Every structure is written in structure tokens, then in C-alpha cells.
């Protein structure tokens, strides 16, 4: 009987993001905190008798199917000598793309972890993290999602003792696309005024003004709707609000369950208790 496995692949938010310097290789060194979020894509992987097939459903994705990170991960596994048979993969997208939530990276990392388990590949967690790093700097986070402090280009991780359990999270993603190129073009690298790790140890109500996303200044000028959403989250009672990563999702953390559906009508909105 052909093997088959269904998994849900989560996402993340960035708690603060500091761009500290431009590297000689053209990339930027940064500091951020990844925090897992229970908003999930759905991935079903099954053995196939023919070629690899990736069927997409849910939120639309840009680009060619063959360039999807999930298929790239499968091809890379085989290139590294791992015996992976032809696969039929169904991916239902719930996490918005281009949102700064890492949905594509999560899909790829979860695919590798799932395939390794299905076919008995001799890959430890650390080996899988090293493997998926070749697909994207934040991919290793999704092998075993938990709060992590990230440095370098976003791929050097240190566990963080940070627990937001009990807080309510609101994600708001308008129909705005921010490319990575656009995001980095507007930043001016500098050492942060406040340490992310020190700020994260404070009550969430004290994060505003201390925990910042360096992409916001230039992106908010180009896309004022994102700034308006952040202001509205604070008006709705958020203890802290920020843009996530370099994408166009704005999130708010609340002590009490918010009732803000009408305030963000027309935008993708997700509310949960962490």
C-alpha cells in the first residue's frame, strides 16, 4: 500500500527586526525574534506511481508550480542521495503569501520533516535544519518551531525564554505586496538603540518604542495603509503592534479578546489565543 501523510504547517511572526549592517556578499545582518503562530497550511504527501505532482488549493500563489519550495525540497533530498519515490503532494494554502509570516518556508521544512519520517531517512533534527537552510534563511525555524532569537542573515538561532501564552494575537494582511527588494532598498543599517532580548523580557505593554521593525519607516511611507492598520490595532486596545518581517502583515498582541472584525473588513484577518 502506498504511504500517505497529512500534516499542518504553521507560520511565525517577527517580534522586532533590526538591520545591523550590510555584508560584503550583499546580504544584511539582522536581529529578530521568531515566534510560532497557530495559523496553518495543509499538506498531504503520498507516494505516486508517476512523476512528482504538486496540487495547489486555497490562497493563490505567484510563480511557477515547479519553483515552489516544497518541490525544490523534494528535488534537493534526491540530489543529496536520499531515496525518495515519486510523490503526489496536495498543498492547501491558508497562510497568505508575501506576508512576512514564512508560510512558504514552513511548507518546505514540514515537507522535509514529513518525508524523512515517511521513508525512514537518516536525518537528525540538526541535519534537517542544515539541509533546509539551503532553501531559505528562516526555513530551519520550522523544523521544530519555538521562540528563537535570530542573527546573521536570519539563520543563526538561539532559544529564547519567551512565553506569550494567554495573549490574543490579531494578524491583518491587506492586499498590499512588499517585495524583499523593496523592503531592503529603504533600510539604513545601524545598531539598535534597545536590545531585543532585553526588551522581550519586559511586559508586552512596554515594548512599543523599544521593540521596532526597521523596515517599517520606509515601507509605511510607500504603503500608508500598513501604518493605518498598525494605528488602528492600538486604537482597538493592542498592548503591542508591529509589522512582521519584511512582508505586509501587521499584528497586534492583546490582553483581552478583541472584537475588531469590522475595523479590518476587507483584509485577511486572523485572531487566536496564543
Amino acid at each position: 500500500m502506498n504511504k500517505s501523510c497529512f500534516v499542518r504547517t504553521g507560520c511565525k511572526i517577527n517580534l522586532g527586526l533590526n538591520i545591523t549592517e550590510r555584508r560584503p556578499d550583499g546580504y544584511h545582518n539582522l536581529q529578530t525574534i521568531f515566534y510560532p503562530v497557530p495559523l496553518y497550511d495543509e499538506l498531504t504527501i503520498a507516494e505516486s506511481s508517476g512523476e512528482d505532482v504538486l496540487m495547489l488549493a486555497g490562497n493563490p500563489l505567484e510563480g511557477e508550480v515547479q519553483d515552489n519550495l516544497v518541490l525544490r525540497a523534494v528535488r534537493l533530498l534526491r540530489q543529496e542521495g536520499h531515496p525518495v519515490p515519486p510523490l503526489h503532494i496536495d498543498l492547501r494554502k491558508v497562510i497568505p503569501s508575501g506576508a512576512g509570516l514564512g508560510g512558504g518556508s514552513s511548507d518546505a521544512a514540514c515537507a522535509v520533516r514529513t518525508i524523512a519520517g515517511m521513508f525512514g531517512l537518516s536525518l537528525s533534527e540538526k541535519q534537517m535544519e542544515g539541509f533546509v537552510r539551503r532553501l531559505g534563511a528562516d526555513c530551519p525555524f520550522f523544523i521544530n518551531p519555538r521562540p528563537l532569537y535570530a542573527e546573521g542573515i536570519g539563520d543563526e538561532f538561539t532559544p529564547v525564554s519567551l512565553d506569550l501564552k494567554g495573549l490574543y494575537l490579531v494578524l491583518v494582511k491587506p492586499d498590499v505586496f512588499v517585495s524583499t527588494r523593496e523592503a531592503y532598498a529603504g533600510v539604513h543599517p545601524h545598531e539598535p538603540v534597545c536590545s531585543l532580548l532585553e526588551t522581550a523580557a519586559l511586559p508586552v505593554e512596554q515594548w512599543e518604542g523599544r521593540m521596532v521593525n526597521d523596515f517599517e519607516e520606509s515601507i509605511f511611507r510607500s504603503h500608508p495603509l500598513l501604518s493605518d492598520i498598525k494605528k488602528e490595532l492600538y486604537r482597538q486596545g493592542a498592548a503591542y503592534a508591529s509589522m512582521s518581517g519584511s512582508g505586509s502583515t501587521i499584528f497586534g498582541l492583546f490582553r483581552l479578546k478583541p472584537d475588531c472584525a469590522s475595523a479590518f473588513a476587507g483584509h485577511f484577518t486572523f485572531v487566536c489565543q496564543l
Side-chain angles (χ1 to χ4, degrees):
M1 180 180 294
N2 288 347
K3 295 180 180 179
S4 177
C5 189
F6 169 83
V7 293
R8 298 194 303 166
T9 72
C11 60
K12 56 81 180 169
I13 52 174
N14 293 74
L15 300 176
L17 199 158
N18 305 136
I19 308 297
T20 58
E21 63 178 339
R22 183 177 174 86
R23 297 156 48 114
D25 60 10
Y27 289 93
H28 289 77
N29 284 330
L30 58 83
Q31 299 169 354
T32 189
I33 296 174
F34 293 139
Y35 199 90
V37 171
L39 172 64
Y40 301 100
D41 287 342
E42 297 176 350
L43 191 64
T44 302
I45 300 175
E47 285 187 82
S48 170
S49 57
E51 298 179 346
D52 290 329
V53 175
L54 175 61
M55 302 297 293
L56 298 174
N59 289 331
L61 289 173
E62 294 186 358
E64 298 294 328
V65 172
Q66 290 301 314
D67 293 331
N68 187 278
L69 281 176
V70 171
L71 285 182
R72 288 172 56 191
V74 172
R75 293 195 293 266
L76 192 56
L77 280 169
R78 295 193 185 111
Q79 290 169 13
E80 292 297 305
H82 298 289
V84 179
L87 299 172
H88 183 105
I89 302 171
D90 290 290
L91 173 59
R92 180 175 178 270
K93 290 295 298 181
V94 177
I95 303 165
S97 59
L101 300 174
S105 296
S106 176
D107 296 338
C110 289
V112 168
R113 190 180 62 211
T114 302
I115 291 168
M118 288 174 67
F119 302 107
L121 307 185
S122 56
L123 288 169
S124 66
E125 183 176 300
K126 190 173 184 64
Q127 287 173 319
M128 284 189 282
E129 289 176 353
F131 178 84
V132 299
R133 184 176 282 109
R134 296 156 64 181
L135 299 168
D138 61 348
C139 282
F141 167 78
F142 293 104
I143 294 296
N144 179 17
R146 70 262 192 217
L148 292 175
Y149 176 67
E151 297 178 282
I153 61 170
D155 63 348
E156 299 174 14
F157 300 135
T158 304
V160 178
S161 179
L162 174 64
D163 187 0
L164 302 181
K165 186 176 181 180
L167 293 180
Y168 290 89
L169 170 71
V170 176
L171 303 179
V172 183
K173 166 65 170 68
D175 188 17
V176 171
F177 178 76
V178 179
S179 70
T180 302
R181 180 185 296 273
E182 176 188 0
Y184 277 97
V187 297
H188 303 285
H190 64 281
E191 287 297 321
V193 175
C194 300
S195 160
L196 281 180
L197 291 176
E198 291 177 2
T199 301
L202 299 173
V204 175
E205 287 80 4
Q206 296 181 31
W207 288 6
E208 184 181 4
R210 291 185 173 94
M211 185 176 288
V212 300
N213 183 330
D214 286 344
F215 287 121
E216 285 189 357
E217 183 178 355
S218 63
I219 289 178
F220 283 3
R221 283 198 302 267
S222 303
H223 304 283
L225 175 59
L226 300 181
S227 177
D228 292 342
I229 291 172
K230 179 177 177 178
K231 292 174 184 175
E232 183 61 31
L233 283 167
Y234 275 120
R235 279 195 291 269
Q236 294 290 329
Y240 174 71
S242 177
M243 187 170 74
S244 181
S246 61
S248 51
T249 297
I250 310 296
F251 70 88
L253 295 171
F254 293 75
R255 290 289 181 188
L256 301 176
K257 186 176 182 179
D259 181 13
C260 53
S262 60
F264 303 114
H267 305 317
F268 173 91
T269 306
F270 174 75
V271 182
C272 72
Q273 188 173 26
L274 296 172

